[in-house]
């Protein structure tokens, strides 16, 4: 036999439960535009009808006891989180490559009247003009100035590309700091979650913040996340503490250990030429622990950091400098050294308008870190253009050597008296530079294409994830109406029970009064 007031208790539970659902709906609506927020729902639970009895079975089933608010759960799909983070890693990697290549294209500025190809063409034209009038001082001054413009352009390109490398190296430092900061925040959240979950609580807001940080971390490097169950009596829907490991480095590297609340920070080491040498992972709070060191050549964790490293430059497995900016600078140096050597050799074969012996037209320091940046026209030529050796046979009216100098740009390396290193026998200065620009265009196009593809894939996964986890105002308004009507119905149920009790208590048993 149920209690006389059981109906009131059932109605009260229903009111409380529907009220909790309305509060949760309001919480969802309030956070509709909050970054990283996951919509929540109240899990309704039917109150058990089983109670202790003196019957043989020990229990008996009564009339239903109503409903109660169980747990408040986030609506999230972990599989979609994994997909999203994998695509974020790819997108971060290709975005860094595309941005670095865009900067390189801006510096090389080809084809344009400010590019090296046009500057060399103008210098060649000036030499052709000099060949037709070798005694003209004006033509000689133009050759001197156009020659200096070529040297200045080589120097500008080399210096500017090196400056971008410096910026990329600084960006690596900033990314390293951000990476470590995120790891520390995740570890702190693990500690908070680990102190709450054993008591049966479900800290949804802490879960959201941790997932938002994991999303940010995955853009920097490819990581895997596993969850460790908290001690005590955690709820069945509690997520637990996150353990984060780094992928693509050839060995196990734990970044955040959820079991022991330990974090390992990353340190990027570069050599004196700004090439990344290694990545070291160590516990900042335990200097006695053995750090894990990954060589740059073995670091293959897709993400922003790998994209920056490959563009900036790193030390490969053979101990050599690798990276696309390094390759471009190296090609520029080879081209400058080969051009200066052949141009000076041809220049020394000719005669100038002075009584002095013909010297070098250009100066360069082949032993410098960046020879192209040291290229310049000889001070003797700048101060006295008569020293330009335009004549091949000796007479002042002969301009044959100026033609030979003009042809240096298109002369095949196989025709050099002293072979140049790295150009190729069937390659000229002009064609070598054209291949450099062509290769740069192909790499840039590939990077942009991959950014577009990765962006589309990430957007698709994000849309799928939002369809599950994001707040839909239409759905929430519908839920609000539903819970409001349920609340009203529960209130009406309580009123009905109240009227019934009033009838029993105040209006029954009046006969004979």
């Amino acid at each position: 036999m149920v209690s006389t007031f059981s109906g009131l208790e059932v109605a009260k539970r229903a009111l409380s439960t529907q009220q909790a659902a309305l509060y949760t709906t309001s919480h969802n609506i309030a956070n509709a535009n909050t970054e990283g927020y996951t919509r929540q729902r109240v899990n309704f639970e039917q109150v058990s009808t089983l109670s202790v009895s003196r019957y043989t079975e020990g229990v008996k089933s009564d009339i239903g006891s109503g409903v109660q608010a169980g747990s408040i759960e986030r609506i999230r799909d972990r599989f979609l989180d994994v997909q999203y983070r994998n695509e974020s890693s790819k997108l971060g990697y290709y975005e860094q490559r595309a941005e670095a290549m865009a900067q390189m294209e801006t510096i090389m500025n080809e084809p344009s009247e400010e590019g090296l190809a046009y500057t060399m063409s103008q210098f060649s034209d000036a030499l052709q003009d000099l060949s037709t009038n070798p005694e003209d001082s004006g033509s000689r001054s133009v050759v001197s100035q156009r020659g200096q413009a070529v040297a200045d352009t080589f120097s500008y390109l080399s210096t500017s590309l090196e400056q971008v490398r410096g910026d990329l190296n600084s960006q690596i430092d900033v990314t390293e700091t951000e990476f470590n900061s995120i790891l520390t925040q995740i570890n702190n959240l693990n500690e908070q979650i680990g102190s709450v979950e054993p008591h049966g609580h479900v800290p949804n807001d802490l879960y959201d913040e941790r997932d938002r940080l994991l999303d940010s971390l995955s853009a920097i490097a490819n990581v895997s996340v596993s969850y460790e169950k908290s001690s005590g009596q955690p709820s069945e829907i509690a997520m637990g503490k996150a353990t984060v490991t780094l992928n693509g480095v050839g060995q196990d590297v734990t970044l955040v250990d959820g079991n022991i609340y330990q974090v390992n920070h990353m340190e990027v080491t570069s050599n004196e030429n700004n090439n990344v040498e290694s990545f070291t992972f160590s516990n900042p709070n335990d200097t006695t622990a053995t750090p894990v060191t990954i060589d740059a050549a073995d670091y293959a964790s897709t993400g922003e950091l790998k994209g920056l490293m490959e563009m900036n430059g790193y030390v490969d497995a053979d101990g050599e400098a690798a990276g696309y900016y390094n390759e471009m600078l190296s090609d520029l140096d080879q081209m400058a050294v080969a051009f200066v050597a052949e141009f000076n050799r041809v220049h020394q074969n000719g005669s100038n308008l002075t009584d002095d012996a013909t010297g070098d037209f250009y100066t360069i320091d082949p032993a410098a870190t960046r020879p192209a940046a040291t290229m310049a026209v000889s001070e003797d030529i700048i101060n006295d253009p008569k020293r330009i050796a335009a004549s091949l046979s000796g007479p002042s009216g002969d301009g044959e050597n100026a033609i030979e100098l003009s042809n240096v740009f298109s002369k095949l390396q196989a025709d050099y008296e002293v072979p140049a290193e790295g150009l190729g026998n069937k390659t000229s200065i002009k064609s070598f530079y054209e291949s450099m620009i062509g290769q740069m265009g192909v790499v840039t196009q590939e990077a942009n294409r991959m950014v577009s593809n990765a962006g589309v894939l990430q957007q698709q996964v994000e849309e799928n994830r939002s369809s599950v986890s994001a707040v839909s105002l239409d759905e929430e308004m519908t839920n609000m109406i539903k819970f409001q009507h349920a609340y009203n119905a529960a209130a009406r149920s309580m009123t009905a029970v109240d009227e019934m009790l009033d009838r029993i208590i105040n209006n029954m048993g009046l006969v004979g009064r």
Side-chain angles (χ1 to χ4, degrees):
M1 185 70 181
V2 297
S3 167
T4 304
F5 301 103
S6 176
L8 285 176
E9 289 296 324
V10 172
K12 188 185 75 172
R13 291 193 195 99
L15 285 172
S16 298
T17 303
Q18 302 305 328
Q19 193 176 45
L22 279 169
Y23 288 163
T24 303
T25 302
S26 298
H27 185 57
N28 286 340
I29 293 172
N31 287 283
N33 295 320
T34 302
E35 183 185 0
Y37 178 76
T38 305
R39 70 187 176 97
Q40 301 173 4
R41 71 179 176 198
V42 176
N43 290 324
F44 288 12
E45 294 179 355
Q46 182 180 352
V47 177
S48 174
T49 60
L50 298 177
S51 61
V52 178
S53 169
R54 59 184 177 180
Y55 297 139
T56 307
E57 296 83 0
V59 295
K60 67 175 181 176
S61 176
D62 294 324
I63 298 172
S65 300
V67 67
Q68 64 181 2
S71 57
I72 299 178
E73 182 180 12
R74 298 190 310 156
I75 311 301
R76 203 168 180 101
D77 188 332
R78 288 191 187 182
F79 176 67
L80 291 175
D81 283 339
V82 172
Q83 281 190 318
Y84 177 83
R85 287 163 191 163
N86 286 337
E87 295 303 327
S88 288
S89 299
K90 296 175 187 172
L91 181 61
Y93 171 70
Y94 288 114
E95 278 183 339
Q96 292 302 327
R97 289 180 64 90
E99 288 177 13
M101 292 308 299
Q103 287 182 289
M104 181 181 286
E105 280 197 326
T106 301
I107 292 171
M108 301 307 291
N109 205 10
E110 296 288 358
S112 76
E113 293 186 358
E114 286 75 31
L116 180 59
Y118 185 79
T119 307
M120 290 192 299
S121 175
Q122 281 194 314
F123 185 35
S124 178
D125 291 344
L127 289 167
Q128 291 283 350
D129 293 341
L130 179 62
S131 70
T132 60
N133 196 4
E135 295 177 321
D136 181 61
S137 60
S139 298
R140 287 178 172 272
S141 295
V142 170
V143 167
S144 171
Q145 294 304 316
R146 294 281 168 80
Q148 184 61 48
V150 170
D152 289 345
T153 305
F154 267 107
S155 179
Y156 167 77
L157 294 180
S158 180
T159 305
S160 298
L161 291 175
E162 197 62 52
Q163 285 176 346
V164 174
R165 282 195 66 231
D167 294 341
L168 291 172
N169 200 263
S170 299
Q171 198 171 345
I172 288 175
D173 293 339
V174 172
T175 305
E176 172 192 329
T177 302
E178 181 185 1
F179 188 81
N180 292 333
S181 173
I182 292 174
L183 294 179
T184 300
Q185 292 179 65
I186 292 174
N187 193 49
N188 292 339
L189 285 169
N190 272 343
E191 291 184 3
Q192 294 179 47
I193 290 170
S195 65
V196 171
E197 284 187 341
H199 306 289
H201 301 302
V202 181
N204 289 322
D205 296 333
L206 296 181
Y207 296 156
D208 280 347
E209 179 62 13
R210 188 173 62 185
D211 283 332
R212 189 186 65 77
L213 291 170
L214 288 170
D215 288 348
S216 300
L217 190 70
S218 65
I220 299 175
N222 186 257
V223 297
S224 292
V225 184
S226 59
Y227 296 92
E228 313 296 335
K229 186 178 180 181
S230 294
S231 59
Q233 297 180 334
S235 167
E236 291 183 356
I237 62 171
M239 289 193 67
K241 299 162 290 186
T243 292
V244 185
T245 55
L246 184 64
N247 298 329
V249 292
Q251 57 180 296
D252 295 333
V253 176
T254 301
L255 301 174
V256 178
D257 193 329
N259 276 322
I260 55 177
Y261 305 126
Q262 178 178 299
V263 60
N264 288 318
H265 282 176
M266 176 176 66
E267 182 182 3
V268 183
T269 304
S270 301
N271 61 18
E272 66 277 7
N273 293 323
N274 281 343
N275 292 315
V276 177
E277 285 186 319
S278 63
F279 298 80
T280 303
F281 300 88
S282 61
N283 183 354
N285 301 318
D286 184 5
T287 55
T288 62
T290 304
V292 177
T293 300
I294 307 293
D295 291 337
D298 297 328
Y299 184 87
S301 183
T302 308
E304 292 177 0
L305 200 54
K306 182 168 182 277
L308 288 170
M309 181 190 76
E310 289 183 349
M311 287 292 106
N312 166 75
Y314 61 98
V315 179
D316 65 14
D318 298 326
E320 302 292 333
Y324 197 73
Y325 267 73
N326 277 331
E327 291 177 12
M328 179 60 82
L329 283 163
S330 177
D331 288 345
L332 205 61
D333 289 335
Q334 285 184 357
M335 178 179 161
V337 170
F339 169 68
V340 168
E342 181 62 14
F343 197 89
N344 284 342
R345 189 193 64 76
V346 174
H347 187 255
Q348 289 176 2
N349 285 342
S351 301
N352 59 47
L353 296 181
T354 69
D355 295 331
D356 297 332
T358 300
D360 289 340
F361 188 93
Y362 281 113
T363 62
I364 194 169
D365 181 5
T369 304
R370 296 298 177 198
T374 67
M375 182 176 169
V377 174
S378 166
E379 286 293 328
D380 292 339
I381 300 290
I382 293 292
N383 296 330
D384 186 6
K386 291 181 181 177
R387 293 180 180 276
I388 298 174
S391 172
L392 185 61
S393 57
S396 58
D398 176 25
E400 288 297 321
N401 203 47
I403 295 176
E404 292 295 324
L405 289 170
S406 175
N407 291 337
V408 169
F409 294 101
S410 56
K411 181 189 292 185
L412 297 180
Q413 194 265 349
D415 298 329
Y416 288 9
E417 289 188 11
V418 180
E421 183 181 352
L423 289 188
N425 287 336
K426 296 183 178 180
T427 305
S428 65
I429 295 294
K430 183 180 178 183
S431 62
F432 184 79
Y433 184 65
E434 288 173 348
S435 71
M436 286 170 57
I437 298 303
Q439 185 180 3
M440 179 185 70
V442 170
V443 174
T444 304
Q445 187 180 36
E446 177 69 9
N448 290 333
R449 186 178 66 82
M450 293 307 297
V451 167
S452 177
N453 291 346
V456 169
L457 290 173
Q458 190 206 40
Q459 182 64 28
Q460 288 178 347
V461 176
E462 173 60 15
E463 289 175 358
N464 291 338
R465 194 166 70 159
S466 295
S467 68
V468 174
S469 302
V471 176
S472 166
L473 291 178
D474 293 342
E475 184 178 346
E476 297 301 330
M477 294 304 292
T478 303
N479 286 339
M480 182 179 290
I481 293 171
K482 183 174 67 176
F483 297 139
Q484 186 178 15
H485 280 301
Y487 185 87
N488 292 339
R492 183 62 183 166
S493 172
M494 179 171 282
T495 301
V497 174
D498 179 50
E499 290 176 352
M500 180 183 70
L501 293 175
D502 179 63
R503 173 66 64 182
I504 293 172
I505 295 171
N506 297 319
N507 296 312
M508 289 180 67
L510 299 179
V511 177
R513 281 187 179 181

